[in-house]
Amino acid sequence: MKRSIRTTVLSVGALIAAFGLPAGTAHADTTTPRVDLRVLVVTDGGPAVQAITAELDSAGTPYTQVDLTRSDRPTIDPTFLADTVDGRPRAKYQAVVLPNDNPFAPGFAEMSALTAYEQAYAIPQVDAYTYARPQVGLQYFVVGGYAGSVDGAQAAVTTAGQAGPFGYLDGAVPFEDNSPTVGESYAYLAQPAPGADFTTYVDAPIPGTARRGSLVGEYRHDGRRELVVTFVYNRYQQQYRLLARGIVEWMTGGVHLGASRNYFSVHVDDVFAADDRWDTQLNCTPGDVDCAGGAGTPSPIRMTAADAEYAKSWQAGRGITLDMVYNGAGSLDQREDNNGVDALADKLQADRAQFRWINHTYTHAFLGCEQDTSVVPWRCATNTNGSTKWISRNAIDDEIALNRVWGQNFGLPLQNDELVTGEHSGMAVLPQQPQDNPNLALSLTGNGVKWLASDNSRDPEQRQVGSASTVARYPMNVYYNVGKAAEAVDEYNWIYTSRAQGGSGICEDHADTTTCLSAPLDTATGYAGRIVPTEIHTALGHVLANDPKPHFIHQSNLAEERLAYPVLNGVIDGYNSLFAANTPLVNEPMRDIGAELKRRGLWKSAVQAGQVTAYRVGDTVTVVAPNGLDVTASLPTGTQRAGAAYGTPYAGRASGWTASTGAPITLTLPSSTPAAPSAVAAARPAPVSAPAPGTPVPPAVREGAEDTDRR
């Protein structure tokens, strides 16, 4: 054993020499190294590393991945990690992410190379999920610690964590416990080992004691810095989503390409119109296509002036502006049926400046194929030659233009480049209509539409339809055809219970549906007890995932029992309880969301194609990108470009988009930024520990599936 350790120490020294670095500080090279703004991710296929790469992908932060399960992967050696550019030493990666503190097979050659590299260039290392033991600066968990489930644990950011990489959080880091029968989170809770230079950033109570154990902390040793994470997670779990930003900020020192914010925008469809009501006996919606042969009697749900006043007051108190997605013909119908009176429209007209407004077409007509509703589900009508009968371009033009003119005459502050078609129609809808109505693109272009809403559950990726780019929206399981909680629960029960229980059987036919019920919900308690918490959890998950896509509800959800507000309040209250004031919800209009998605798509393509180069030398960051590409980065507040402040503040950093002209973009970091290496100096060689022992991963974490509700 002594012989093998000695061999390892010597190999580290040899590796330092291999980097072309001096053997000691007396004759150190004073040339400031270049550190490329790219992360090295070493993966074994586990969920924790996958979660970190998902965060990098979402933000647009470049990384290189080495898959340990592939036989054709590159070898991690000094040449792979560093070289010289224009006579200046270059570190190719600003941070290293490993599955654990040492995932390599016995022999240690690659771990030795990484150790020497991290020492030479002051490169931090993230241990994505590892075992608590002295090799990572912690006591063994058997010494007054804990190993096991932490489902439902109330973890917290420590004082050091809030002063450091997790300062955007308010303190609490609650662990999910979504099922009493499924283990979702496993952790090692331990305190720092005696004499270890270890700072805990996130901790949790050690069961049965008054002590707390580390879940996330920094271990400094042998000229290296490791972020030690001792709980397992996947990319969708709330506890990880809360900490993901801080993990990236820690590893990059707050200097990296890409940016992340937390978004929450809400569209209210069918404003001015009325929505048909769910029939609890027929299990369909009279007046809609799901009731065969026109069964039942329609019973409309429509907001009142009092509901509009409540909406105005609510959004003012919550710091959120609702997007009112309107159908002008709905007001015309109301006046015709009520001797010219429409108190709702009068109220919304008086308060029109308090909301944002989006064209939802004049009558909410279906703009795809002509629907044959003689069968359930409906099908596309066909011509005599078997071809699909499409809604004409003139009909689509009328729906867009008439609603636009009505809104302008009504005094709405419109943005005429935004459009939401009724039921997202005109675009493909499976299985009946597998392609877009070919007349839709022509009409969008002719009417100057740039942003077209799509349904994220069936059309999630941004794409071009004529002149318009799509903006996918998340549907909420607060249904368009209910105004009362009992109705909502009845429909929920119908959709998500088995045929034997009187339900639709969709869960039997679609195994990927995650909201299936083992028994029907109580109509008196099911909405508040099950549906609301489920919807809050799903929507908050989107908010925490750097996802700007809006959510949509319907005007019926603001009427009668005002079913949407418990969900919306739950999302906002839940968010505010977790995040500091420097990290507010971002509430954007549709066009800004569309532009953000488009910029992200172009940025991601350029990064993946290797068209973007970025590096740091001392306090200067240089980015080179193609002409016309918008560049995004997260940098310390106070960073300047050409003497002006860079970006806008968010979560303790400055971030934003900068248009490239093709020339290098130079950014000057503030003097308070943690220094990059001012000279490449070798740290003393250190023994490389044995590979980390295996760590358990609960099945629920390995699966890592996001909700796939049918909405």
Side-chain angles (χ1 to χ4, degrees):
M1 178 60 70
K2 289 183 179 179
R3 182 185 180 95
S4 64
I5 291 176
R6 179 177 175 82
T7 300
T8 300
V9 171
L10 292 174
S11 69
V12 172
L15 284 164
I16 290 175
F19 283 120
L21 308 179
T25 58
H27 302 287
D29 183 356
T30 58
T31 301
T32 302
R34 161 178 161 170
V35 180
D36 283 2
L37 301 189
R38 175 174 287 270
V39 176
L40 174 61
V41 177
V42 179
T43 182
D44 60 359
V49 175
Q50 290 175 346
I52 293 175
T53 56
E55 176 69 10
L56 298 174
D57 280 329
S58 172
T61 301
Y63 65 92
T64 295
Q65 182 167 280
V66 175
D67 188 343
L68 297 178
T69 68
R70 293 178 60 100
S71 60
D72 60 346
R73 71 173 179 86
T75 298
I76 299 174
D77 58 19
T79 302
F80 180 81
L81 296 168
D83 60 9
T84 300
V85 175
D86 297 330
R88 184 186 299 278
R90 175 176 73 147
K92 297 181 181 179
Y93 310 101
Q94 66 179 135
V96 175
V97 176
L98 300 182
N100 50 59
D101 55 291
N102 183 359
F104 299 98
F108 312 143
E110 289 180 293
M111 194 65 232
S112 294
L114 281 170
T115 296
Y117 174 72
E118 292 169 8
Q119 291 173 329
Y121 291 97
I123 302 299
Q125 172 183 309
V126 174
D127 304 335
Y129 170 47
T130 198
Y131 193 92
R133 65 198 198 287
Q135 288 89 334
V136 294
L138 294 168
Q139 298 183 37
Y140 286 108
F141 74 89
V142 294
V143 184
Y146 171 78
S149 173
V150 286
D151 292 2
Q154 296 300 306
V157 179
T158 66
T159 300
Q162 288 190 304
F166 301 101
Y168 57 90
L169 293 174
D170 207 29
V173 184
F175 273 59
E176 293 181 341
D177 186 10
N178 297 316
S179 171
T181 61
V182 177
E184 302 161 32
S185 301
Y186 192 96
Y188 298 93
L189 295 173
Q191 295 187 320
D197 186 359
F198 191 99
T199 301
T200 299
Y201 291 142
V202 181
D203 63 13
I206 298 174
T209 75
R211 298 186 303 279
R212 302 179 69 86
S214 179
L215 287 167
V216 182
E218 180 177 334
Y219 179 39
R220 295 169 293 274
H221 64 106
D222 303 311
R224 299 168 62 209
R225 297 168 56 234
E226 293 181 54
L227 192 71
V228 179
V229 184
T230 57
F231 73 96
V232 68
Y233 46 90
N234 68 48
R235 61 181 292 185
Y236 302 110
Q237 290 178 304
Q238 179 176 283
Q239 55 266 26
Y240 171 69
R241 295 278 5 124
L242 293 174
L243 300 174
R245 177 189 300 275
I247 292 173
V248 173
E249 292 302 318
W250 181 89
M251 75 167 82
T252 62
V255 178
H256 62 88
L257 295 181
S260 175
R261 299 194 178 202
N262 298 331
Y263 300 84
F264 190 50
S265 295
V266 181
H267 292 186
V268 184
D269 286 10
D270 304 348
V271 174
F272 298 122
D275 289 298
D276 294 317
R277 189 185 307 272
W278 173 257
D279 189 306
T280 59
Q281 301 302 312
L282 296 174
N283 290 323
C284 66
T285 310
D288 208 341
V289 295
D290 63 334
C291 269
T297 302
S299 174
I301 308 167
R302 190 174 190 262
M303 290 173 65
T304 65
D307 294 326
E309 175 64 26
Y310 189 92
K312 181 185 73 170
S313 299
W314 176 86
Q315 67 174 16
R318 302 318 312 252
I320 294 289
T321 299
L322 297 171
D323 290 87
M324 295 301 195
V325 187
Y326 75 97
N327 308 104
S331 178
L332 178 64
D333 292 343
Q334 179 72 12
R335 294 189 191 279
E336 288 181 350
D337 294 340
N338 293 274
N339 298 316
V341 176
D342 186 357
L344 170 64
D346 293 343
K347 176 61 177 171
L348 286 174
Q349 184 180 41
D351 294 332
R352 58 192 180 276
Q354 305 302 311
F355 304 97
R356 294 191 290 250
W357 296 90
I358 302 175
N359 188 344
H360 196 25
T361 72
Y362 191 55
T363 70
H364 200 279
F366 190 84
L367 302 181
C369 62
E370 292 186 17
Q371 292 177 296
D372 176 359
T373 59
S374 65
V375 293
V376 176
W378 62 270
R379 63 191 174 196
C380 285
T382 57
N383 298 303
T384 55
N385 64 359
S387 62
T388 300
K389 283 187 176 181
W390 297 109
I391 300 297
S392 70
R393 177 181 174 180
N394 283 342
I396 299 173
D397 285 344
D398 285 348
E399 284 290 323
I400 297 171
L402 285 175
N403 207 47
R404 182 182 290 173
V405 170
W406 185 92
Q408 290 169 336
N409 291 337
F410 198 67
L412 299 181
L414 290 177
Q415 301 296 327
N416 288 325
D417 55 358
E418 301 174 335
L419 179 69
V420 180
T421 58
E423 302 177 53
H424 303 101
S425 60
M427 290 173 282
V429 53
L430 296 175
Q432 297 101 322
Q433 184 192 312
Q435 68 179 88
D436 294 346
N437 181 345
N439 296 315
L440 178 65
L442 298 173
S443 183
L444 296 176
T445 302
N447 285 281
V449 177
K450 295 182 180 179
W451 309 109
L452 174 68
S454 65
D455 186 335
N456 190 77
S457 62
R458 66 184 193 226
D459 200 359
E461 299 302 322
Q462 189 172 60
R463 63 187 181 93
Q464 204 71 19
V465 184
S467 60
S469 299
T470 59
V471 178
R473 307 189 302 165
Y474 286 110
M476 285 185 165
N477 272 351
V478 186
Y479 303 122
Y480 80 96
N481 53 358
V482 296
K484 297 178 171 60
E487 297 166 349
V489 175
D490 184 86
E491 185 172 3
Y492 200 89
N493 284 340
W494 161 252
I495 295 173
Y496 295 121
T497 57
S498 67
R499 292 181 179 91
Q501 295 170 322
S504 68
I506 189 174
C507 290
E508 296 158 275
D509 299 337
H510 299 274
D512 61 345
T513 306
T514 61
T515 49
C516 299
L517 299 172
S518 58
L521 301 175
D522 186 323
T523 55
T525 62
Y527 186 72
R530 172 62 182 264
I531 298 175
V532 168
T534 299
E535 289 307 298
I536 291 171
H537 179 269
T538 300
L540 189 56
H542 300 150
V543 170
L544 301 185
N546 185 30
D547 190 343
K549 295 175 184 176
H551 294 76
F552 72 95
I553 56 175
H554 295 80
Q555 63 84 29
S556 52
N557 307 140
L558 305 186
E560 297 185 356
E561 294 182 3
R562 299 172 179 166
L563 298 180
Y565 292 111
V567 176
L568 303 183
N569 284 331
V571 173
I572 297 169
D573 290 341
Y575 183 87
N576 290 341
S577 71
L578 297 169
F579 286 86
N582 67 354
T583 312
L585 282 171
V586 179
N587 174 240
E588 291 191 331
M590 182 171 162
R591 87 179 55 77
D592 290 352
I593 294 170
E596 174 73 12
L597 293 171
K598 178 168 282 191
R599 284 191 296 252
R600 289 188 188 189
L602 294 171
W603 172 254
K604 181 178 180 179
S605 296
V607 168
Q608 291 179 341
Q611 297 174 339
V612 178
T613 300
Y615 54 89
R616 176 181 178 180
V617 178
D619 289 335
T620 301
V621 170
T622 302
V623 184
V624 181
N627 182 26
L629 180 70
D630 286 337
V631 172
T632 181
S634 295
L635 302 167
T637 303
T639 296
Q640 293 195 335
R641 181 190 179 199
Y646 168 79
T648 55
Y650 192 80
R653 295 287 182 264
S655 56
W657 293 94
T658 301
S660 172
T661 63
I665 298 172
T666 301
L667 302 160
T668 304
L669 304 175
S671 58
S672 59
T673 306
S678 59
V680 181
R684 64 183 180 85
V688 180
S689 64
T695 47
V697 178
V701 171
R702 289 200 298 271
E703 292 166 1
E706 187 179 22
D707 286 341
T708 53
D709 300 357
R710 182 181 182 274
R711 302 174 190 246

